[in-house]
Amino acid sequence: MIPAAFEYYRPKDMAGVLAVLEEHGDDARVLAGGHSLIPMMKLRMAEVPHLIDLQDVAGLTGITIENGTVRLGTMTTQATMIDDAALLAAAPIMREAALQIADPQVRYMGTVGGNVANGDPGNDMPGLMQCLDATFHLVGPDGDRDVAAREFYEAAYMTDREDDEVLVAVSFPAPEGGYAYEKQKRKIGDYATAAAAVQITKENGVCATASIAMTNLSDTPIYSEEAGEALIGTSVDEAAVEAAVAAMLGDIDPTEDNRGPIEFKRHAAAVILRRAIARAWSRA
Amino acid sequence: MKDDVTREERVDALGGMGCKRKRVEDARFTQGKGNYVDDIKLDGMMFADFVRSPYAHARIKSINIDAAMALDGVAAVLTAEDLKPLNLTWMPTLAGDKQMVLADGKVLFQGQEVAFVVAKDRYIAADAVELVEVEYEELPVITDPFEALKSDVVLREDTVDENGTAVDGAHGPRGHHNHIFKWEMGDEPATNEVMDDAEVVAEETMYYHRTHPCPLETCGSVASMDKVNGKLTLWGTFQAPHVVRTVASLLSGIEEHNIRVVSPDIGGGFGNKVGVYPGYVCSIVASIVTGKPVKWVEDRMENLMSTAFARDYWMKGKISATKDGKITGLHCHVTADHGAFDACADPSKFPAGFMNICTGSYDIPVAYLGVDGVYTNKAPGGVSYRCSFRVTEAVYFIERMIEVLAIELNMDPAELRMKNFIKKEQFPYQAALGWEYDSGDYHTAWEKALKAVDYEGLRAEQAQRVEDFKAGKTRKLMGVGLTFFTEIVGAGPVKNCDILGMGMFDSCEIRIHPTGSAIARLGTISQGQGHATTFAQILATEIGLPADSITIEEGDTDTAPYGLGTYGSRSTPVAGAATALAGRKIRAKAQMIAAYLLEVHDDDVEFDVDRFVVKGAPEKFKTMKEIAYAAYNQAIPGVEPGLEAVSYYDPPNMTYPFGAYVCVMDIDVDTGVTDIRRFYALDDCGTRINPMIIDGQIHGGLTEALAVALGQEIAYDSLGNVKTGTLMDFFLPTAWEVPNYETDFTVTPSPHHPIGAKGVGESPHVGGVPCFSNAVNDAFKAFGLRHTHMPHDHWRIWKTANDLGLHG
C-alpha cells in the first residue's frame, strides 16, 4: 500500500490545472476527495506521475439554486450535501442518497465531482444524476462543454470526459414530486449490492412523470427509460410496478462478485426498485 | 493510632477485585500515545518489504534481483539462497511442521514470501519489490481438502520419500502425501454401537468457513543486532514474547541471554500474533546482514492473505438419543484444511487443539472424535481466533448438532438442552473425550436466561410470525438463536500442555517499593485486554496496597519473568493465579514484619484489607504501607531486608467458563438482510475481577462472533486467488452493524484457582458464533430447513430462502 513516486501540484486556478494537464496528458490526473484515486495509487493499480490537487482552485465548491436549477461545484462534499438546507428543500433525494454513501469520515472528503467523474460503477452519484437528468459541466483547453449525465458513461472507469478536461460542476432541474434512494449494502462503507434512484410526480392520482436509475448493476449506471415509462399514466398499481421492474431487469447486466451471484443481484435489484417506487409514490 | 475511615472505605480505597476500575491503559490509547511496533524509530533504521507470490502453486524457475539492487537506497534483497547457509530457509512451526521462510524452489499459496527487500525507506523498498523479477511455472492448484486427499499432486515434496511414499508426520503416519495427521479421541467402536442401537440418530455435515482474526494492528517487527556487544533486540507483535526469544535463540544459535524480545503495545491479537512469521525471521537476518536496525510492517492485504487464518473445518456429526430426548452418544469427524504448512498454534500434543471439548455442556456417555489435517494451496495458520484452541469449532459443532437433534425429535431445543446438561452435583465431571470439567451450574444459568428473554413469549411470537408470513402479511421471518456453551481455557497443566516443549505455566514477579507502591511483572502480554488494570486489582486485594499504586509491566523478556504469553483466555487463569500466589508470598513476609513491629507472635496478627491487626485488638495494626517501609529500613532479626516475591504457576487443571446466550433476529426473506433485535448474554467466568472490563470483553467478543457468523470469510477462487483480501470485502463490523448487547452473569468460582477466576475474553466469541447462526437456521426451521452453512451473508440467506421456495 505504498504508491509509486509522483509530482504533486496544487494550482490556485483552473488555468493552472489545465496547463499541467496539457503538458502531461494522460500521465496527469486531478484529485478531488481522493477516496477512489488514492487507494488505487497505493495499490499501484493507478500510476499517476502528475497529481493535481483541486482543493485550492477557486470557484469549485458550493451549492446554488437559481430559477429552478440546482448547481453543485465539483468539490462540494457529501457532508455539505447532507447539511445544506436549501438543497434539502430543492432536491431532498440528494441528502437521502448522500447519507447512504460510505461513512461520515469519507463523506467529509468525498466530493460530487470525484464521485461522478471517476466512472466507478459502484458510486452512487452517477445513477442519481441520471435519475435527475443532470448536466455535467466540463472545461478543457478548447473551452467549456456540457454533457448530459445520461450520455456520460461508456464503461467502467470510461467516460465521455477527455484526459485534458476537468469536470467543474453538475447541475439539474430541481425535481418535483416524490423521491427515493434505496440501497442494499453489506455494511457501512460498502458499495451497493443494488441501489435505485426514483423520482415520480403525481397528477390526479396518476403518475405524470417517472425517472428511474440503478447503481452497481452494470459496468455503468443504468438509466432505465422504459421502467419510468411503465409507470407513467398508471396509478402505480402492482401491474405497473411489475412492468417497471421487468423493464429495469431488461436493462441491467450485473456480474458475480462477493456480494453474490447474478441471480441474487437481479432479485435484489427488483426488490430494491419495488421499495423505491413505493416510497417515492407515497411521497408524491 | 486512631483510624477515622471505616473498613468499607478502606476496601473502596484499594480498587481491588470486583470493582469497576477504569482502564489505566486508556489515557494513552485514546490520546494516540500508545507505543506500537510501527512507532519504534531507531537511528539508521532500514525498512523491509516482501516480494510475494501471485500464484497459489508454482515452481520458481529464477529470481533476478539485479534491477532491485541497482535502485538507489536498496541495501539488500534476501532470497532462499541467502538463508541456506544459516539453515533458515525453513523454520519450525508451533504444530510440529516446518514452514518456508522464503520460497524454496516453489510457492504453495498466493501471497507467500518470495524475497525480502531492505531499503533506506519504505517507499524505496516498495519500488524495489516491483523490480525483483521472478519467473514462475504454474502448477495445479488444490484449494479443496477432499480433493487434496485424492490428488496425485504432491503439494509438499518433503512429505514423500524418494519412492514417492508418504513419510510419517509430526503426529504419526500419513494416509496420503497431502495428509498431515490423524488425531483420534474417545471410543469409536463403542460409539458406533450406541448409534446402531439408538432410537433416534441425527446427522449433519457443517462447514465452518475459513476466516481471519484481522487485528487492527497488522504484524511487524524491528530487529536490531548490535555487533559490538553481540546482543540482538527484537521488538514485535508477539502474543508470546518469551517463546519467541527461545525460538529465536534455537534458530539463530545466538545465546538466549543475548536476545531481548520486546512486545510493546499490541493492537489486538486474537490468535493472529501467536505464531512466528517469515517477516520476523527475515528482519533479524537483514539486521545481521546490514548491521542496521530493520523494520518490517505488513499492510492490511498482506495480513489477510498470508498470516494465520482461523477455522476451515469440515465437521461431520452424528448424535444419538432416546425417543424422549436423552442423548446417548456423539460421533464427530473433522476434515481440517491447514493450508500449505501446518502452522496452527496449539499445545504440541493437541494437533486439533481442544476440539475434544465437542461434547459441550451435556452429559454424553460415549463419544468419538477423529480429525484429519490436510494440506492445500492456501495460507498457513489454523489459529484460535478469539477462542481457546479450536473451541469455537467444537462449540459450534455441538450447538448445531443439538438443534438438528431437536428437529429430529420434534422437541423444543431449550428443553432438549435442559434435559441433557451435566448436573451441578456431577462436577468435577469426567467427559467422554477426556476432559475433567472443574465446576458448573448450567441449569441455573439456563433458567435465568430463558426467563430474562421470556422464551415462551418469543416462541409464541415466532409462531404467529410464521402464520402471518404464510398468509402473506409479512415478508420477515423471526429466528430465536440459542446457545449454551462450555469453554476450556487456561492452558495449561505442564503435564499435558506444552508449546515446542515449553510447559504452559505462567509467572508473576512483584517488587514492593519502600514507600508502599509496587511494580509487578508478568509472563503474559496484553493486546487490549486491560492487564495493567485487572492484575493490579488482583494484587490490591491480595497485598493491601491501592491498585493505583501498582504498576503492571509485561512484554520485555529482559525484565519480565518467563511466561507462555497471552492467548486462549489463559492470562487470568494462569498468570492471574501466579499473581495472587506471589501476592500471598508478599503477605506472608509482611505478616512476620508486622508481628515484629507490633511486638506479638506471628500467629497473633491477621490480614485485614490493607493492614495486619493484632487479633482481638483491631486498634493495634500496621498498614501495608508502614510494613513496606519497615521492610527496607528497619533491621528485623531473622528477616531479610526487602519485600519481593516471584511465583510460577502450573495450573492443576483447565478452567471451564460457561454461558447462556439468546439472539432474536428478524430476517428479510427477499433481500437476505438480518436485523438483530435482541442479544442476551449470560456469562459465568467464576470470580469477577472487573465487571466493566468483562462487559467490554463480552461486547468485543460478540461483535467478532457476529462478524464471523454473518459474513466474515477468507474465500478463494479455484485458482487459489484470495477473493477477500481487503476490508471492502472482508467484513469487519462497525458500530453501525452492532446491536445492543444485554449482559448478565452467574458466579460459579473455579475450585482449583487461587481466586476462583476462569477467564472471559473468549467466551463471547465461542458462544456468540453458534448463537447468531442458530438464529438464522431457526428462522427457516418452520419451512423445513435443518442446516445452512455460515457465513450468513445476504446472498446466502437469500439462497436458503430461495431453495425453500419462499420467493414464490
Side-chain angles (χ1 to χ4, degrees):
Chain A
M1 295 291 277
I2 304 277
F6 56 89
E7 282 299 321
Y8 177 76
Y9 303 83
R10 196 153 161 173
K12 303 277 187 209
D13 54 30
M14 192 48 67
V17 176
L18 294 175
V20 181
L21 282 173
E22 194 167 16
E23 186 181 348
H24 296 289
D26 62 1
D27 273 353
R29 290 281 299 271
V30 296
L31 177 73
H35 275 72
S36 298
L37 185 57
I38 289 181
M40 297 292 273
M41 290 171 66
K42 285 183 162 186
L43 291 166
R44 298 194 175 214
M45 291 166 82
E47 287 253 348
V48 183
H50 300 275
L51 187 70
I52 312 163
D53 191 335
L54 294 181
Q55 66 175 307
D56 282 354
V57 176
L60 293 183
T61 59
I63 300 169
T64 56
I65 300 160
E66 282 175 9
N67 305 325
T69 296
V70 179
R71 184 183 171 100
L72 291 91
T74 196
M75 293 293 280
T76 305
T77 65
Q78 286 127 22
T80 303
M81 290 178 223
I82 290 166
D83 290 343
D84 192 284
L87 181 65
L88 178 63
I93 195 170
M94 292 293 288
R95 182 172 193 273
E96 182 159 298
L99 278 169
Q100 297 181 66
I101 295 175
D103 57 56
Q105 285 175 302
V106 172
R107 297 196 293 254
Y108 281 115
M109 296 299 289
T111 64
V112 65
N115 200 289
V116 302
N118 196 36
D120 185 337
N123 285 351
D124 291 284
M125 285 290 156
L128 180 57
M129 291 296 120
Q130 292 193 340
C131 171
L132 293 169
D133 197 13
T135 302
F136 295 165
H137 305 284
L138 306 167
V139 298
D142 304 328
D144 298 358
R145 176 165 88 92
D146 289 348
V147 184
R150 292 175 186 173
E151 307 294 329
F152 187 71
Y153 297 96
E154 295 166 353
Y157 304 101
M158 304 281 283
T159 69
D160 187 54
R161 187 185 63 81
E162 299 294 332
D163 287 336
D164 55 3
E165 288 182 312
V166 180
L167 189 148
V168 293
V170 303
S171 66
F172 51 84
E176 293 174 356
Y179 65 92
Y181 193 79
E182 181 84 17
K183 178 177 179 179
Q184 180 172 354
K185 55 185 174 180
R186 295 171 297 179
K187 57 178 179 176
I188 284 296
D190 194 16
Y191 293 123
T193 302
V198 176
Q199 286 279 165
I200 299 184
T201 59
K202 189 197 292 193
E203 281 173 20
N204 304 321
V206 172
C207 173
T209 64
S211 178
I212 292 171
M214 308 297 290
T215 290
N216 214 18
L217 293 159
S218 286
D219 67 345
T220 63
I222 293 295
Y223 169 65
S224 181
E225 191 174 1
E226 269 186 61
E229 281 171 358
L231 300 178
I232 296 170
T234 74
S235 60
V236 190
D237 54 11
E238 195 183 332
V241 171
E242 290 313 309
V245 166
M248 176 276 293
L249 290 173
D251 288 339
I252 63 170
D253 184 19
T255 52
E256 177 168 349
D257 59 20
N258 288 325
R259 293 176 190 83
I262 292 167
E263 193 190 4
F264 167 63
K265 289 192 170 181
R266 294 181 65 81
H267 186 99
V271 172
I272 292 303
L273 179 56
R274 279 189 206 105
R275 291 178 185 179
I277 292 171
R279 196 159 77 242
W281 183 242
S282 74
R283 288 165 166 169
Chain B
M1 193 171 160
K2 193 166 160 21
D3 196 2
D4 292 333
V5 295
T6 64
R7 188 173 191 279
E8 197 178 314
E9 285 167 333
R10 289 193 283 122
V11 170
D12 287 348
L14 286 183
M17 282 198 285
C19 82
K20 293 184 182 179
R21 184 179 186 224
K22 283 190 181 169
R23 284 165 43 106
V24 297
E25 297 90 340
D26 289 349
R28 69 177 195 278
F29 290 155
T30 55
Q31 294 178 60
K33 301 291 184 191
N35 181 41
Y36 298 92
V37 170
D38 207 11
D39 293 320
I40 291 166
K41 294 177 178 69
L42 303 174
D43 282 347
M45 188 169 73
M46 311 289 278
F47 292 81
D49 205 347
F50 274 114
V51 176
R52 293 179 181 275
S53 170
Y55 299 108
H57 195 196
R59 184 92 42 214
I60 293 181
K61 295 178 75 177
S62 67
I63 301 177
N64 185 339
I65 65 167
D66 295 346
M69 284 300 291
L71 190 65
D72 193 28
V74 173
V77 180
L78 303 179
T79 66
E81 289 306 309
D82 302 301
L83 299 178
K84 275 184 181 150
L86 303 166
N87 203 22
L88 279 177
T89 314
W90 294 66
M91 62 178 179
T93 71
L94 299 182
D97 194 6
K98 58 178 188 167
Q99 172 176 357
M100 288 181 210
V101 175
L102 290 171
D104 185 15
K106 72 188 281 197
V107 288
L108 288 157
F109 66 95
Q110 188 185 49
Q112 188 178 336
E113 300 82 359
V114 174
F116 192 68
V117 174
V118 185
K120 202 170 65 182
D121 64 43
R122 50 177 44 138
Y123 294 89
I124 296 171
D127 287 343
V129 163
E130 304 242 298
L131 295 173
V132 175
E133 295 160 22
V134 185
E135 198 183 344
Y136 297 95
E137 177 191 327
E138 288 183 68
L139 296 169
V141 172
I142 301 175
T143 59
D144 176 74
F146 300 100
E147 187 196 330
L149 289 177
K150 286 184 288 195
S151 175
D152 293 337
V153 176
V154 177
L155 295 177
R156 285 277 300 271
E157 280 142 21
D158 57 314
T159 60
V160 292
D161 62 19
E162 56 273 23
N163 305 318
T165 310
V167 298
D168 283 4
H171 303 282
R174 299 177 202 273
H176 180 272
H177 49 256
N178 295 329
H179 182 235
I180 307 171
F181 63 82
K182 183 171 201 74
W183 188 57
E184 292 181 286
M185 297 294 281
D187 187 338
E188 190 171 28
T191 305
N192 287 340
E193 202 173 311
V194 166
M195 298 280 160
D196 290 344
D197 299 340
E199 291 174 1
V200 179
V201 178
E203 293 183 52
E204 193 54 70
T205 298
M206 57 197 82
Y207 178 49
Y208 199 145
H209 60 287
R210 176 176 280 233
T211 183
H212 193 281
C214 194
L216 285 185
E217 179 204 27
T218 59
C219 298
S221 59
V222 177
S224 180
M225 183 73 207
D226 184 330
K227 288 195 173 171
V228 176
N229 64 17
K231 281 192 184 283
L232 168 70
T233 307
L234 180 66
W235 292 263
T237 45
F238 309 134
Q239 289 183 238
H242 299 272
V243 179
V244 169
R245 185 186 70 190
T246 302
V247 172
S249 174
L250 292 171
L251 287 180
S252 66
I254 301 170
E255 281 197 85
E256 204 166 350
H257 74 103
N258 278 331
I259 302 176
R260 176 181 169 217
V261 174
V262 183
S263 295
D265 283 329
I266 296 183
F270 314 113
N272 185 241
K273 294 169 180 167
V274 175
V276 172
Y277 292 121
Y280 305 158
V281 177
C282 287
S283 67
I284 296 171
V285 173
S287 181
I288 293 170
V289 168
T290 63
K292 299 205 168 133
V294 174
K295 176 186 279 186
W296 163 74
V297 175
E298 66 189 5
D299 68 25
R300 177 63 57 197
M301 292 172 74
E302 291 178 298
N303 179 255
L304 286 172
M305 282 174 72
S306 69
T307 64
F309 74 93
R311 332 286 197 230
D312 215 343
Y313 260 30
W314 283 94
M315 303 185 283
K316 195 170 187 303
K318 264 168 105 171
I319 188 164
S320 61
T322 60
K323 273 186 292 199
D324 60 353
K326 185 79 190 87
I327 300 170
T328 54
L330 181 73
H331 190 288
C332 176
H333 181 266
V334 180
T335 303
D337 186 340
H338 285 253
F341 310 100
D342 186 7
C344 124
D346 291 320
S348 303
K349 296 184 187 75
F350 296 87
F354 302 159
M355 183 66 199
N356 56 329
I357 193 77
C358 67
T359 52
S361 314
Y362 312 103
D363 184 13
I364 302 179
V366 60
Y368 166 78
L369 168 70
V371 183
D372 284 297
V374 185
Y375 291 124
T376 59
N377 290 121
K378 289 150 85 172
V383 295
S384 310
Y385 167 13
R386 203 163 183 147
C387 67
S388 192
F389 313 100
R390 298 287 186 183
V391 176
T392 304
E393 289 91 320
V395 171
Y396 181 75
F397 170 78
I398 184 66
E399 288 303 294
R400 286 295 309 132
M401 289 308 295
I402 289 285
E403 294 283 319
V404 171
L405 177 62
I407 292 170
E408 197 74 39
L409 290 163
N410 196 23
M411 184 183 267
D412 180 276
E415 185 193 341
L416 178 60
R417 285 179 173 85
M418 188 69 96
K419 197 167 195 138
N420 287 284
F421 282 142
I422 301 161
K423 295 183 183 69
K424 190 179 170 184
E425 57 272 20
Q426 286 176 280
F427 292 94
Y429 174 79
Q430 186 63 48
L433 291 177
W435 298 112
E436 186 187 285
Y437 293 25
D438 63 348
S439 61
D441 182 356
Y442 300 163
H443 291 82
T444 301
W446 196 230
E447 278 165 12
K448 189 174 182 184
L450 297 181
K451 195 166 170 227
V453 300
D454 180 21
Y455 181 68
E456 285 178 21
L458 287 174
R459 287 297 181 199
E461 185 191 349
Q462 184 187 38
Q464 183 61 49
R465 184 74 74 85
V466 169
E467 290 310 307
D468 290 349
F469 184 90
K470 286 177 176 167
K473 291 184 200 162
T474 180
R475 294 294 294 163
K476 285 191 177 175
L477 291 174
M478 171 181 165
V480 180
L482 303 177
T483 284
F484 196 99
F485 67 91
T486 296
E487 256 259 70
I488 169 169
V489 304
V494 173
K495 63 178 187 278
N496 58 6
C497 289
D498 71 273
I499 284 185
L500 292 176
M502 283 164 279
M504 295 181 73
F505 60 84
D506 227 289
S507 58
C508 175
E509 182 187 281
I510 305 169
R511 292 182 189 177
I512 311 291
H513 305 315
T515 53
S517 66
I519 184 166
R521 297 186 171 102
L522 291 85
T524 44
I525 175 70
S526 184
Q527 304 126 36
Q529 291 91 337
H531 288 179
T533 308
T534 47
F535 286 129
Q537 288 181 260
I538 295 175
L539 269 185
T541 297
E542 291 290 344
I543 66 175
L545 293 173
D548 287 346
S549 300
I550 302 168
T551 296
I552 300 292
E553 208 179 82
E554 304 171 298
D556 184 338
T557 60
D558 265 10
T559 56
Y562 203 101
L564 270 278
T566 295
Y567 42 86
S569 280
R570 65 184 301 279
S571 297
T572 297
V574 191
T579 303
L581 294 180
R584 287 171 198 181
K585 288 181 183 173
I586 296 280
R587 217 162 71 192
K589 184 169 178 183
Q591 182 167 0
M592 291 192 280
I593 297 169
Y596 175 80
L597 297 175
L598 290 163
E599 300 180 351
V600 295
H601 188 271
D602 289 359
D603 294 342
D604 292 333
V605 293
E606 61 188 357
F607 187 69
D608 180 46
V609 185
D610 58 352
R611 63 191 57 180
F612 277 93
V613 300
V614 175
K615 286 179 185 170
E619 73 284 1
K620 290 183 183 167
F621 63 86
K622 287 288 172 189
T623 64
M624 284 301 291
K625 203 171 161 152
E626 291 170 311
I627 295 165
Y629 195 77
Y632 288 90
N633 297 304
Q634 195 158 345
I636 300 170
V639 178
E640 282 180 13
L643 195 51
E644 298 188 0
V646 58
S647 182
Y648 281 75
Y649 185 74
D650 175 9
N653 191 4
M654 307 285 181
T655 60
Y656 297 78
F658 59 91
Y661 291 176
V662 183
C663 173
V664 185
M665 187 186 280
D666 292 309
I667 295 179
D668 182 331
V669 170
D670 293 318
T671 58
V673 174
T674 51
D675 179 26
I676 296 147
R677 195 200 308 172
R678 190 166 183 194
F679 199 101
Y680 169 89
L682 180 151
D683 273 274
D684 191 321
C685 58
T687 303
R688 293 157 61 83
I689 299 164
N690 184 326
M692 188 167 66
I693 285 186
I694 291 173
D695 269 354
Q697 287 275 30
I698 291 168
H699 289 195
L702 288 175
T703 300
E704 286 182 319
L706 174 148
V708 170
L710 299 186
Q712 187 179 79
E713 65 173 325
I714 296 290
Y716 290 83
D717 69 14
S718 60
L719 293 174
N721 298 307
V722 181
K723 298 200 300 180
T724 51
T726 78
L727 296 186
M728 178 58 81
D729 286 309
F730 184 85
F731 178 36
L732 206 59
T734 66
W736 187 264
E737 286 86 17
V738 174
N740 182 48
Y741 299 121
E742 298 166 54
T743 57
D744 203 349
F745 63 95
T746 56
V747 177
T748 311
S750 169
H752 63 76
H753 188 275
I755 58 171
K758 292 181 171 179
V760 74
E762 300 173 331
S763 291
H765 192 72
V766 165
V769 176
C771 194
F772 288 112
S773 183
N774 279 345
V776 173
N777 278 282
D778 184 72
F780 293 104
K781 191 160 88 171
F783 300 90
L785 182 70
R786 273 170 69 99
H787 174 79
T788 185
H789 298 314
M790 295 188 294
H792 305 299
D793 53 5
H794 297 169
W795 81 263
R796 288 178 174 101
I797 290 180
W798 170 84
K799 186 170 187 310
T800 296
N802 210 43
D803 291 348
L804 293 170
L806 301 184
H807 293 136

